[in-house]
Every structure is written in structure tokens, then in C-alpha cells.
Amino acid sequence: MDWGMKNRLSKIIKPKDGHTVMLAVDHGYFMGPTTGLEKLDQMVNPLIPYADVLMPTRGALRNYISPDTEIPICLRVSGGTSILNEKNLLHEGIIVSIEDAIRLNVSAVAFSILVGQPFERDTLLGFTQIIDDANRYNIPVLAVTAVGRGLGKDAKYLSLASRMAAELGASIVKTYFCPNFEKVVDTCPVPIVIAGGKKIPEKDAIQMAYDALQAGAIGVDMGRNIFQSSDPVSMIKAVNAVVHKKYSPKEAYDLFKSKKK
Ligand code: 5RP
């Protein structure tokens, strides 16, 4: 692996412990003004000190994030459908050129693939195109893996999607936590971070992060379970403590409650 790729990866995965807290705030690319992100800067700026990486769209970056920020950026580069087009949701292609990602000085790019839908081929070909583009400039690609409706979030399908993403060239895979998550981790040759998914109670989201780490995930790429929390700053501190400080779920939840105003 070349120096540039290693250097960028070290911005995403913290060398001190091999873990990462990624803050996903890219939802606007298909959900518009998502609850909690209506004024994205006001939500995100107080969270940045407790995140290792920020995952926005290019529009969010240019309009809401100060260019003097020190947080590494993992830029969302896939899209093409909105939440209103349920049948085709995640039928995504490349929405940002690699040149623009370079102009934005990103440390990684993120692309969603959807396995188990008739249009899976389109997302996989777009994904490999961005891998080739990104490889030319030593930019790591994070694959966001989803499986078709009806297949369920289970280890069988998520390990298939995660392994495919790695075999196609991803440097990091983002997938959902599920029962028997060890299987997903053990059969994927690149590091895995978990998505948060829809908002659930803070206690459960902290437990999920802990269980994922125990199963071998290197961290989280969490959005709604942080910024839709009743206290987003306390929540990201609690998740950070699980990921980087080996807090138990109880210790982290106590931390969340004690910080909550
Ligand atoms: C869609 C995504 C989201 O845009 C986002 O990153 C998910 O974060 P969360 O589920 O934690 O809110 O990846 O596929």
C-alpha cells in the first residue's frame, strides 16, 4: 500500500487503537432536511470534538462546515434517488467526481451498494468505477452496504454484501449490526464499521455499538442515533467512550445520563 493511501487511512482509523468514531451527516442527499440536521452546522459543530471523522455530502461541506476544520472528511459520493422514490431507493450512481473530492481535500469517499435488487449491478459498477478513480489518487473508499428489502438484516446477507464490497476493492465497509455479527466480521478482509440506522433508545444504541466492537468491528459510522438523541453531545461522548475507552454499556449509558442536561 502506498504512503498516501496509508496516510489517509490513518486519518480515518485512529492508529492509537485501530478504532474510529465516524459521524454520518450525509442524510440530506436523499432525505433532504433530515430531523436534527435542518441547520446542519448548529448540530454538527458541537459534536466535532468527539468524532474522529465527519461523513457529509459535498454541499453540506461547502455550505455548513468551516474550511479550517481539522476533522478528516469521508465524502459521500453516491446518490441519485430520493426517499420519495421508495421502489428505487439506493439505486445509486456516482454523484461527485474524484477531482471534486480532491479539491475538497477529503481523506476518504463513501459509496452505497445495494445487493439483492434488480439494479444491484448498476450500484456495483458505479462502485468499482469510483474505486478505480479513487485508487489513482490513493483515496480510500468506504462501501456502505445495504441489502434488498425482504432479505432482512441478517449475517447471511450482510456478510455477502460486505465480502463483495471488500473483494471489489473497498478499504473499509460500513454495514448494519445483526445477530451473529462475528460472521460478517470474520469473513470480511477489511475493517468494518457499523451504521446506526433509525433512531432507537440511547441505551440500546450504546449496547449495539458495544456488541459490534466485541464482535470485531473497528467502530461506528453513526448518524441519527447521535444527532436525533435527546442530548447529541452526551450521546457522542458515550459512544466515543465505548469505541476508544473500553467503557461497558452501563458505564457509557451512565456517562450519557450524567452529562445530559
Ligand atoms: C444511507 C446512509 C446514511 O446516509 C447515513 O450515513 C446512515 O447513518 P445512520 O443510519 O447512522 O443515521 O448510509 O445508506
Side-chain angles (χ1 to χ4, degrees):
M1 198 189 289
D2 192 52
W3 193 95
M5 177 67 86
K6 281 188 190 156
N7 179 258
R8 285 196 178 88
L9 274 174
S10 76
K11 310 279 180 229
I12 305 291
I13 303 171
K14 293 292 138 184
K16 61 176 180 190
D17 59 5
H19 290 172
T20 185
V21 176
M22 301 180 65
L23 176 60
V25 293
D26 57 325
H27 305 60
Y29 86 96
F30 75 110
M31 288 168 66
T34 311
T35 305
L37 296 180
E38 296 89 342
K39 298 200 184 309
L40 193 140
D41 47 347
Q42 289 176 19
M43 172 58 74
V44 168
N45 286 335
L47 303 177
I48 284 180
Y50 310 101
D52 298 310
V53 180
L54 189 65
M55 182 166 139
T57 60
R58 65 174 159 185
L61 198 52
R62 287 195 167 107
N63 289 301
Y64 291 113
I65 306 295
S66 169
D68 64 9
T69 189
E70 286 179 9
I71 194 163
I73 302 298
C74 175
L75 186 71
R76 156 71 60 183
V77 295
S78 70
T81 56
S82 81
I83 192 146
L84 300 179
N85 187 354
E86 258 198 61
K87 225 175 97 197
N88 290 304
L89 199 59
L90 290 175
H91 187 165
E92 298 189 353
I94 297 171
I95 57 165
V96 181
S97 69
I98 204 65
E99 288 75 19
D100 208 29
I102 293 166
R103 272 193 288 276
L104 288 164
N105 197 29
V106 305
S107 298
V109 294
F111 191 103
S112 287
I113 58 169
L114 182 51
V115 172
Q117 283 283 3
F119 54 72
E120 66 178 8
R121 181 170 189 273
D122 291 350
T123 70
L124 295 173
L125 295 188
F127 177 60
T128 48
Q129 179 63 56
I130 205 76
I131 296 235
D132 282 335
D133 294 346
N135 277 352
R136 272 201 300 282
Y137 303 102
N138 282 320
I139 298 175
V141 179
L142 177 143
V144 182
T145 61
V147 294
R149 261 172 217 275
L151 297 183
K153 286 176 185 152
D154 77 30
K156 179 175 169 192
Y157 299 115
L158 293 177
S159 60
L160 182 145
S162 299
R163 176 62 174 263
M164 283 177 65
E167 300 249 0
L168 295 176
S171 294
I172 305 172
V173 165
K174 168 177 175 173
T175 194
Y176 291 96
F177 184 70
C178 63
N180 197 15
F181 194 65
E182 292 81 0
K183 178 181 171 189
V184 182
V185 176
D186 290 348
T187 56
C188 182
V190 302
I192 292 196
V193 291
I194 58 151
K198 284 193 178 140
K199 170 80 177 68
I200 53 177
E202 281 81 358
K203 194 175 182 191
D204 298 344
I206 288 168
Q207 181 74 48
M208 178 171 74
Y210 177 83
D211 291 343
L213 268 285
Q214 292 299 112
I218 60 145
V220 301
D221 185 9
M222 209 175 248
R224 287 163 290 180
N225 276 292
I226 289 173
F227 63 71
Q228 291 178 351
S229 165
S230 55
D231 184 345
V233 171
S234 298
M235 185 58 181
I236 196 166
K237 283 182 180 169
V239 171
N240 188 299
V242 166
V243 172
H244 286 303
K245 297 179 186 156
K246 297 194 163 84
Y247 272 38
S248 69
K250 182 177 179 316
E251 288 168 331
Y253 187 55
D254 287 347
L255 179 72
F256 168 72
K257 286 189 298 186
S258 72
K259 304 264 178 191
K260 195 164 160 13
K261 290 168 214 90

